[in-house]
Amino acid sequence: MNQQIKAVIFDLGQVLIHWDPKLLYRQMFNDEKEMEFFLSEVCPPAWNVSLDGGYPFAQGVKDRIALYPDYEPYIRAWHERWIETIGGAIPGTVEVLRQIKEKGYPVFALSNWSAETFPIIANQYEFFNWFEKIVLSGEEKLVKPNPEIYQRLLSRIDFSPEECLFIDDSIHNIEAAEQLGIQVIHFKNSETLSKELKELEIL
């Protein structure tokens, strides 16, 4: 057991849960290029980040329909069929999380996720109950990599930054955590994560 690291913080999307709008929109678009246009221009990543940050879904949808009325059914689907963007748990990482818990480490989650959509799946995955605390951007009205959201989590747990290990798939989020003194692992896949945790003597 690593004596320096006393708690482990997980990102959720793309680390423990597979999220991909293409899972939904490949059902709706026959043309891959038009789908890519939709996801890059009509409902772009920056817009989705605003939803993760607490901007109301209903207003966000209304805003985009005003800009792209021809895509109204597709824009509405982002909200109404959101559950179809979820590809399920990432089994390998869930197993790593279980092993960390069994080793006695407290585990926490820090995720860019809308407070409107998280409750839709919160009860569908048992591992969400393994976390001692889950901090969501949509509830905090802050998104990673803003340092303040990390500080809010740290203020609610009994560990210093140096005692925490943070796992995230975004290099920007990792760099922000590192600048606060938090130890980090840039998530690539479950197998590599397991190996890195063994090297740190956490597993």
Side-chain angles (χ1 to χ4, degrees):
M1 191 167 183
N2 188 307
Q3 296 301 312
Q4 186 180 5
I5 296 171
K6 301 185 184 304
V8 182
I9 305 165
F10 278 82
D11 177 32
L12 296 177
Q14 310 304 64
V15 174
L16 285 157
I17 290 284
H18 178 50
W19 175 81
D20 186 352
K22 292 179 182 179
L23 296 173
L24 165 61
Y25 287 103
R26 282 204 173 104
Q27 301 175 55
M28 299 186 71
F29 285 100
N30 294 320
D31 186 327
E32 188 85 4
K33 286 185 178 179
E34 187 179 12
M35 181 191 73
E36 293 293 350
F37 170 80
F38 177 82
L39 294 175
S40 63
E41 301 294 334
V42 181
C43 288
W47 174 72
N48 187 63
V49 169
S50 73
L51 301 178
D52 284 346
Y55 195 72
F57 254 81
Q59 186 60 50
V61 166
K62 185 178 178 181
D63 293 346
R64 301 315 287 182
I65 290 172
L67 291 171
Y68 297 96
D70 291 347
Y71 286 94
E72 179 171 353
Y74 302 91
I75 298 168
R76 290 193 182 282
W78 195 283
H79 190 196
E80 296 168 358
R81 297 175 61 180
W82 175 87
I83 191 63
E84 294 175 62
T85 66
I86 296 294
I90 299 172
T93 319
V94 174
E95 175 59 20
V96 168
L97 173 63
R98 184 187 65 76
Q99 292 174 14
I100 291 173
K101 281 282 289 182
E102 288 180 350
K103 289 283 186 178
Y105 290 94
V107 292
F108 304 91
L110 177 62
S111 182
N112 283 353
W113 202 311
S114 166
E116 292 184 59
T117 55
F118 185 73
I120 297 172
I121 68 161
N123 295 323
Q124 294 186 20
Y125 299 94
E126 180 191 359
F127 68 82
F128 285 135
N129 298 318
W130 301 352
F131 293 109
E132 297 198 13
K133 192 175 293 293
I134 296 175
V135 172
L136 300 177
S137 60
E139 293 176 349
E140 304 301 323
K141 305 296 192 292
L142 287 167
V143 295
K144 297 177 290 183
N146 187 320
E148 192 175 340
I149 194 169
Y150 301 87
Q151 291 163 341
R152 287 196 186 178
L153 172 61
L154 291 168
S155 72
R156 296 170 193 173
I157 64 179
D158 296 322
F159 302 98
S160 68
E162 296 76 15
E163 292 174 325
C164 297
L165 174 68
F166 177 56
I167 300 163
D168 196 299
D169 66 303
S170 163
I171 189 63
H172 300 295
N173 297 344
I174 285 294
E175 289 171 348
E178 206 165 20
Q179 288 173 7
L180 293 171
I182 300 169
Q183 300 190 59
V184 297
I185 289 178
H186 183 205
F187 180 83
K188 301 171 187 69
N189 56 61
S190 304
E191 294 77 14
T192 304
L193 174 62
S194 181
K195 180 181 178 183
E196 290 173 305
L197 289 168
K198 286 173 182 174
E199 289 172 355
L200 289 172
E201 298 182 349
I202 290 175
L203 292 184

